[in-house]
Amino acid sequence: MALMTCAVLPMFLFSPTFFPLSTYHGSLQVVVRCSPLSQSVTLLRDLTLGTVTWSSLEPVAYLFAMGAFGLWLTSRRISSLLLR
């Protein structure tokens, strides 16, 4: 559980929730943009402000892919633990 906190806390602090993405340095923008929380914030901003366009499908696809990968990884981990 400590590893989860070490991953979630920086993702939360560097997400564009508090500051716009343009405030970060160019190389850090790429890292922040790859964060699932950043994609969620982008999608929720589009939904809240009513600016949903076809480009809003990009965060949806990214979050779906990350969720599918997490489900696959978790199912492998659980099945390996159960087979012991």
Side-chain angles (χ1 to χ4, degrees), residues 50-72:
T51 58
V52 178
T53 60
W54 287 106
S55 65
S56 300
L57 288 177
E58 181 184 333
V60 172
Y62 181 84
L63 291 171
F64 181 76
M66 290 295 282
F69 176 72
L71 184 64
W72 173 77

Side-chain angles (χ1 to χ4, degrees), residues 1-62:
M1 205 57 183
L3 289 175
M4 189 70 159
T5 304
C6 290
V8 171
L9 184 63
M11 186 170 54
F12 179 70
L13 291 175
F14 288 112
S15 72
T17 306
F18 303 112
F19 303 104
L21 192 60
S22 60
T23 59
Y24 297 111
H25 189 266
S27 59
L28 190 58
Q29 281 184 8
V30 174
V31 174
V32 170
R33 195 170 285 156
C34 291
S35 165
L37 187 58
S38 172
Q39 300 293 327
S40 301
V41 168
T42 302
L43 183 62
L44 286 175
R45 277 193 184 141
D46 287 348
L47 290 171
T48 303
L49 296 175
T51 58
V52 178
T53 60
W54 287 106
S55 65
S56 300
L57 288 177
E58 181 184 333
V60 172
Y62 181 84

